Amino acid sequence: QSVLTQPPSVSGAPGQRVTISCTGSSSNIGAGYDVHWYQQLPGTAPKLLIYGNTNRPSGVPDRFSGSRSGTSASLAITGLQAEDEADYYCQSYDSSLSVLWVFGGGTKLTVL
Amino acid sequence: EVQVAESGGGLIQPGGSLRLSCAASGFTVSSNYMNWVRQAPGKGLEWVSVIYSGGSTYYADSVKGRFTISRDNSKNTVYLQMNSLRVEDTAVYYCARGNDYGDYWGQGTLVTVSS
């Protein structure tokens, strides 16, 4: 059971917009801690996609965007492309736990 | 160019020990927070341990007392000494730089604990 809750899977057709939710609680996202997102392509290491809720590292297309509100955060992907098919993880900090990073369970994005 | 590269994984029997290495280039490990994150087969990501720039170390409860994180500044390398390994420690172990989040990750090294 992950501290942050994500849907196991989402799907969309090429060119469409999809969103992935990440629901936390008052000890993590709700407490104001930042949310970060990673993309993990099949058989590869996680790659930082969004940091500090809304910021994109250099090289990440602006088709990817993040937001945070209350105890939740979301990752939006517009203009869906076949190469976006991957697992996506949200990550934050939780003040009630003795860990540095807490992760969501991951969401598998399928491009139809 | 910033890079991290893990090594040292393999097949080990339950109760055994293994030491993973994370060699960094393009930055200094002693000036950064360095983390180990693992991913069991077909599962999600789990934070394991961190060593702060000041040298403090922290562990997930699941590995506390069995794993030890350290670094060798002269080699710009971080280590994860894993003792009393259990079947449930089987995973790909990633090294990642960062405090609030991991901005650079290695390719991972697979640890399989099985008899």
Side-chain angles (χ1 to χ4, degrees):
Chain A
Q1 196 78 356
S2 301
V3 174
L4 305 178
T5 301
Q6 297 180 234
S9 63
V10 298
S11 62
Q16 285 189 333
R17 179 182 187 269
V18 297
T19 61
I20 299 172
S21 61
C22 175
T23 303
S25 66
S26 59
S27 60
N28 44 66
I29 300 175
Y33 294 108
D34 286 340
V35 178
H36 321 287
W37 293 89
Y38 302 90
Q39 177 191 60
Q40 186 175 33
L41 297 170
T44 69
K47 168 194 166 186
L48 182 66
L49 197 63
I50 298 287
Y51 66 94
N53 306 308
T54 61
N55 304 292
R56 287 185 307 277
S58 174
V60 173
D62 59 7
R63 301 186 297 105
F64 296 90
S65 63
S67 63
R68 184 191 73 180
S69 178
T71 59
S72 296
S74 289
L75 173 70
I77 309 172
T78 59
L80 207 57
Q81 299 179 4
E83 56 261 38
D84 298 333
E85 188 160 292
D87 293 324
Y88 293 83
Y89 293 90
C90 60
Q91 176 248 309
S92 186
Y93 173 78
D94 192 296
S95 60
S96 70
L97 301 173
S98 57
V99 298
L100 187 61
W101 298 342
V102 291
F103 292 94
T107 298
K108 170 66 177 178
L109 168 63
T110 300
V111 180
L112 301 172
Chain B
E1 181 186 6
V2 171
Q3 288 186 328
V4 293
E6 305 91 339
S7 61
L11 174 64
I12 188 78
Q13 291 187 338
S17 297
L18 209 57
R19 189 180 80 158
L20 306 183
S21 299
C22 168
S25 58
F27 71 98
T28 304
V29 296
S30 60
S31 300
N32 287 271
Y33 288 27
M34 297 298 296
N35 300 265
W36 287 96
V37 175
R38 68 185 180 183
Q39 185 171 35
K43 302 296 184 182
L45 301 171
E46 178 189 17
W47 178 86
V48 172
S49 180
V50 64
I51 183 165
Y52 286 179
S53 51
S56 298
T57 60
Y58 298 91
Y59 303 89
D61 287 344
S62 57
V63 307
K64 199 172 295 181
R66 301 187 298 122
F67 289 12
T68 302
I69 190 172
S70 63
R71 69 186 181 211
D72 184 331
N73 296 340
S74 67
K75 296 182 178 180
N76 210 33
T77 298
V78 175
Y79 302 99
L80 186 68
Q81 176 67 43
M82 304 186 296
N83 299 329
S84 302
L85 282 162
R86 306 168 179 168
V87 171
E88 54 266 35
D89 294 320
T90 294
V92 174
Y93 285 74
Y94 295 103
C95 177
R97 185 184 81 166
N99 175 11
D100 294 335
Y101 54 88
D103 59 356
Y104 288 94
W105 296 61
Q107 81 289 349
T109 187
L110 175 63
V111 173
T112 303
V113 185
S114 174
S115 54

